Structures are given as structure tokens and as C-alpha cells.
Amino acid sequence: MPQKESVRAMFNEISGKYDFLNHFLSFGIDRLWRKRLVKELLKSKPEHVLDLATGTADLAIELHRQSGIRITGVDISEKMLAAGQEKITKSGLADSIELMRGDAENLQFPDQTFDAAMIAFGVRNFEDLPLGISEMKRVLKKGGKVMILEFSHPASFPIKQIYGFYSRFFIPVVGKMISSHPTAYRYLPDTVAAFPSGKAFLNIMLQAGFDQCRMISLSGGIASIYTGTRPD
Ligand SMILES: C[S@@+](CC[C@H](N)C(=O)[O-])C[C@H]1O[C@@H](n2cnc3c(N)ncnc32)[C@H](O)[C@@H]1O
């Protein structure tokens, strides 16, 4: 099965347990990380924001809660989107948050559509990372901001050791028990370890043509927010 199709199938299978496991395995810290991204994003006062790999729409809902602005969410997994749509409808946000199925590496929007683009825990799944980052730039208006939240590699003692043990042993075992998926929660530490973080990630953003690239380290480097601006 091609990588994209297997990623889609995996998220379809875990969609029912995804939110619970996210908050449970991170002790709720994932919510604080999303709030931090939103706080940073709102500094540029966007009016229409693209949420890529929106999944169950937690980031889109948080952004709307803090700002009331219009958001378009895109994801390849129809079951993650269905779970997100249910939350949006229940919260009465259907007029402001629109979800659609699509591939972040091949977006269906014209150039320069959005004031800002954001993605939480999504870039790690891309088949072609530089292509996905270039697509974000293409659909951003000039001067538009991109915000990327992703797991990174904590470097200092003891967070590196504690988190290393937690992510390699605890997350796969408990994730498998609760989700009943044999490999999805093994995929998380494996892909994080193989994924560029810190300066290596900033370089990919620079090569895609973003300006003012910088990084905000979260929880001792367990996750990071990478930000950049599409030049004028
Ligand atoms: C770990 S979840 C993150 C969901 C959400 N952003 C959050 O913060 O909880 C990753 C999501 O990326 C989606 N995804 C993976 N590859 C994608 C692609 N090429 N285009 C769009 N969505 C993709 C998956 O379907 C999944 O919903």
C-alpha cells in the first residue's frame, strides 16, 4: 500500500479513540501546545486560516474559540473529518469552520487564498515534506504566516531520558491496548525519531522560500512550533 494510503487507513481506524488517547497520553499537555500556537498565530490578525491535517479539528476549534474567525480544515482521513465535523456541529460552529477532504501535498485551492496556515502533528505524515511545505506557501497570501506544531527531539537531561522511555515503551503499549490498533502508536515514536527537528526543520522551511523562520520550543523540546512568513 502506498504510504499516503496506509496513513489514511491508519487514521481512519483510530479515529474513534484519537481524541481520548491524545489527551490521555499527553496528560492534556497537547491542549496547551495548541493554545500556544493559536496565541502566536493571532498576532498577525488573520481573517481566513487554513488548518492542514485538521484531523478531529481540535486546533481549528481552539482557534475559533479564541478569535471567532473563519477556518478551512483539510485532511485525507474521512473518519477523522467525520469525528471533527460532529464536534463542530455540536458546538454550533458549522458556519465558521468548514472541513473538507484533501491532500496537503496537493491542495485544491488557488494561489494566495489564505491569510495564515497552520498544522499540528501533521507534517510528520507527509510523503514529500518539502512539497507539503511549498504547498502551504503557495496558498498563503504575501506576508501570510505559517505555524507548524510538531514533536521534536528533547536534548537535555532528564527530559530526553524520561520522554525517550515514555514514548518508546509506554505510548506503544497503552496506545495499542486502548485503540486496538496493532501499530499506530508504535508509528508515533518511530516517525518522530526519523523526522527533522530544530534547525534541520527550519532549513527546510527556508529552502521552501519562507522568511523570518523561527522556532518556539515547548515542554523542554518535546514539541516545537515552527513559524515563518511568506515574503512579499
Ligand atoms: C496526528 S493527526 C493530527 C490531527 C490534528 N491536527 C491534531 O492536532 O490533533 C495527523 C492527521 O494528518 C492527516 N494527514 C496525514 N497525511 C495527510 C496529508 N497528506 N494531507 C492531509 N492530511 C493528512 C491524518 O489523516 C491525520 O488526521
Side-chain angles (χ1 to χ4, degrees):
M1 206 190 283
Q3 186 195 322
K4 207 180 293 278
E5 193 42 47
S6 66
V7 166
R8 174 175 157 242
M10 182 180 82
F11 281 102
N12 273 342
E13 281 171 45
I14 63 170
S15 58
K17 295 278 167 41
Y18 177 83
D19 280 350
F20 172 77
L21 272 165
N22 244 0
H23 308 324
F24 179 73
L25 292 172
S26 76
F27 308 103
I29 293 170
D30 63 309
R31 287 195 175 101
L32 302 180
W33 292 340
R34 287 192 194 83
K35 277 187 207 291
R36 181 66 208 278
L37 184 155
V38 165
K39 190 176 149 215
E40 206 54 40
L41 186 86
L42 287 176
K43 288 181 185 167
S44 65
K45 302 194 172 31
E47 288 176 8
H48 187 195
V49 174
L50 174 64
D51 180 25
L52 286 167
T54 189
T56 59
D58 269 1
L59 184 60
I61 292 170
E62 180 59 34
L63 174 59
H64 188 272
R65 204 184 58 76
Q66 289 194 38
S67 63
I69 62 178
R70 188 154 73 97
I71 302 148
T72 300
V74 171
D75 200 284
I76 48 166
S77 158
E78 58 277 20
K79 290 204 175 161
M80 292 289 277
L81 287 171
Q85 190 61 55
E86 198 180 322
K87 290 194 287 188
I88 288 168
T89 308
K90 268 192 194 144
S91 316
L93 302 178
D95 288 344
S96 312
I97 306 177
E98 179 189 24
L99 298 187
M100 52 181 77
R101 188 154 177 264
D103 180 0
E105 292 163 82
N106 183 19
L107 291 168
Q108 63 269 57
F109 308 108
D111 295 358
Q112 303 189 36
T113 303
F114 298 95
D115 302 306
M118 58 185 190
I119 178 164
F121 311 111
V123 284
R124 199 168 17 94
N125 302 297
F126 287 178
E127 226 162 44
D128 183 338
L129 178 61
L131 176 66
I133 306 271
S134 301
E135 269 296 85
M136 287 187 214
K137 182 174 155 245
R138 182 182 68 76
V139 298
L140 271 182
K141 292 179 187 165
K142 290 179 179 169
K145 296 275 175 207
V146 66
M147 303 267 150
I148 300 170
L149 171 59
E150 192 47 84
F151 288 108
S152 43
H153 307 153
S156 39
F157 178 84
I159 294 184
K160 178 179 175 182
Q161 287 71 17
I162 296 170
Y163 182 69
F165 177 82
Y166 183 76
S167 67
R168 274 198 305 278
F169 299 104
F170 189 81
I171 291 180
V173 171
V174 176
K176 184 176 173 180
M177 263 165 52
I178 298 179
S179 72
S180 309
H181 192 286
T183 51
Y185 286 83
R186 168 89 259 152
Y187 173 84
L188 174 76
D190 287 351
T191 50
V192 172
F195 196 71
S197 101
K199 283 193 182 141
F201 193 86
L202 289 175
N203 274 333
I204 295 170
M205 292 177 72
L206 285 167
Q207 273 161 22
F210 280 106
D211 257 6
Q212 300 165 35
C213 296
R214 69 184 184 98
M215 178 183 121
I216 303 165
S217 179
L218 304 168
S219 306
I222 292 174
S224 297
I225 297 170
Y226 303 96
T227 73
T229 306
R230 177 179 170 148
D232 285 337

